Amino acid sequence: MVLTRSPVVADALRAAVRAPSPHNTQPWIFELAPDTIDVVLDESRILGACDPEAREARLACGAALLNLRLAIAAAGRISEVELAPERARPSLLARVTLGPRHRPTTTERRLSAAIPRRYSNRRPFTDEPVPLRLRTAVREAAREEGARLVLLDEAGLLEATAGLIRRADHIQHLDAAFQRELRAWTRQTSEDDGVPASAGGPRSAGGLLPGRYVNEDGAPRVFEQDPLVAVLTMPNDAPISQVRAGCAMQRVLLTATDAGLSASFSSQPIEIPAIRDELRDLLGGAGHPQTVFRLGYGCPGVKTPRRPIEAVTRDRSEEEQP
């Protein structure tokens, strides 16, 4: 029997699975022991065409890790986190151990409360500008997890980066293996994973950025002409840094959600190594780009589904059996 009897652990797992992931693959397994949660990369859910190096899968697991940390803190416990705790098992990304009692901070409470409200909004945003105080807040959220968030309009790099996104999107459009994989994870009806048509965006009638999960049924709509696009970078690009980047990404997204902002990803240039290198050079070469997303004020969208907790948890003893 999976050890989810602790209300703190059960609530933390419900929070963890709300993390974003490429094509909503949910590439995580949580192995449980008393007062311990291991975050394991589910290698069977790595996207062979889109994410063959599992970069985005590790980011997703990092986002799930941050959700675990926040939910445990909001429940009044300290969480002690060890990244890559077993060198011989690289798929074991993190070990979270519940510590002593803790008085949650206001930020921990607010970000934990934002977890069930956060989702990728693939619909057009309004042209209302994101104020300086919120731009500062999302940059600080990334910095708190060891990352840097570059807001492209402030750096004068929006047009050039949008060109890289469009070029990467065109390459993927011509890639038969990528398109087969995308179709396999784009659902006509809502299932436990993948992106249902209802959560896709409309066809674009104009805008800088291409969409990926397009719902062809509705009429085309005009997207914002001056989107706020952010690139999150890390000082190095090791697998463990990608997990940390996922924590930073999720802290930014939850900070944005708490402030009433929407977000959606433009992952295309990250998924093509040569264009990712171009993006790094464009940003000055100091950091390694990990993810690209737009922020803004959006009309309500549709959440993607999640697998039940029972499908993504197992006792650690099950893994240790020969």
Side-chain angles (χ1 to χ4, degrees):
M1 181 173 63
V2 175
L3 297 164
T4 56
R5 288 188 294 273
S6 162
V8 174
V9 170
D11 288 347
L13 292 170
R14 281 190 285 269
V17 300
R18 290 308 314 172
S21 58
H23 295 354
N24 192 26
T25 48
Q26 306 166 46
W28 44 63
I29 298 170
F30 304 100
E31 293 177 359
L32 308 179
D35 285 337
T36 303
I37 306 171
D38 283 353
V39 181
V40 180
L41 175 64
D42 185 345
E43 295 175 329
S44 71
R45 287 181 169 256
I46 295 172
L47 296 167
C50 172
D51 188 33
E53 298 176 345
R55 300 173 56 89
E56 291 181 288
R58 281 188 284 270
L59 254 71
C61 289
L65 172 61
L66 184 84
N67 284 2
L68 283 173
R69 288 166 46 197
L70 289 170
I72 292 168
R77 298 283 294 274
I78 288 174
S79 61
E80 300 170 357
V81 178
E82 182 182 5
L83 296 179
E86 297 179 12
R87 182 172 298 182
R89 192 183 174 202
S91 63
L92 175 54
L93 302 180
R95 175 162 293 155
V96 181
T97 303
L98 273 66
R101 298 293 301 173
H102 160 73
R103 177 174 293 180
T105 66
T106 300
T107 298
E108 288 168 341
R109 290 186 184 277
R110 291 178 68 94
L111 295 187
S112 179
I115 290 171
R117 305 200 312 270
R118 187 223 63 83
Y119 61 92
S120 295
N121 188 341
R122 302 174 181 91
R123 299 179 179 183
F125 296 168
T126 72
D127 288 316
E128 179 181 354
V130 176
L132 177 60
R133 63 179 179 82
L134 297 186
R135 290 166 173 257
T136 300
V138 293
R139 276 196 296 257
E140 181 56 36
R143 190 177 302 117
E144 189 167 336
E145 298 291 336
R148 177 183 178 222
L149 192 70
V150 181
L151 302 181
L152 296 177
D153 60 344
E154 297 178 0
L157 298 174
L158 177 58
E159 292 284 349
T161 303
L164 293 180
I165 294 172
R166 291 193 298 269
R167 180 149 56 90
D169 186 75
H170 179 67
I171 291 171
Q172 291 179 330
H173 182 74
L174 299 178
D175 185 333
F178 178 90
Q179 291 300 318
R180 282 194 300 272
E181 188 175 74
L182 177 62
R183 288 192 298 270
W185 287 96
T186 304
R187 318 295 197 199
Q188 291 306 307
T189 58
S190 183
E191 299 180 21
D192 287 343
D193 55 14
V195 179
S198 60
R203 287 172 291 159
S204 175
L208 280 176
L209 307 178
R212 171 170 284 179
Y213 310 99
V214 177
N215 186 346
E216 300 286 354
D217 294 337
R221 292 176 58 188
V222 176
F223 282 69
E224 63 272 25
Q225 297 300 302
D226 190 22
L228 176 57
V229 180
V231 181
L232 186 135
T233 72
M234 292 292 289
N236 66 68
D237 201 31
I240 198 167
S241 289
Q242 293 160 13
V243 177
R244 290 192 174 103
C247 292
M249 173 187 75
Q250 185 70 348
R251 186 175 286 273
V252 169
L253 295 175
L254 293 175
T255 300
T257 299
D258 179 61
L261 297 174
S262 292
S264 68
F265 292 94
S266 294
S267 302
Q268 295 94 323
I270 302 297
E271 295 163 353
I272 299 177
I275 297 182
R276 186 171 68 243
D277 290 342
E278 287 187 55
L279 178 58
R280 184 187 180 199
D281 290 342
L282 185 66
L283 296 173
H288 295 264
Q290 301 293 324
T291 188
V292 182
F293 50 90
R294 75 193 230 273
L295 295 167
Y297 294 98
C299 299
V302 176
K303 296 179 181 179
T304 50
R306 293 297 187 273
R307 291 183 288 164
I309 297 301
E310 295 76 15
V312 296
T313 53
R314 63 190 179 204
D315 288 349
R316 191 190 299 170
S317 58
E318 295 177 15
E319 174 61 26
E320 291 170 352
Q321 289 174 0

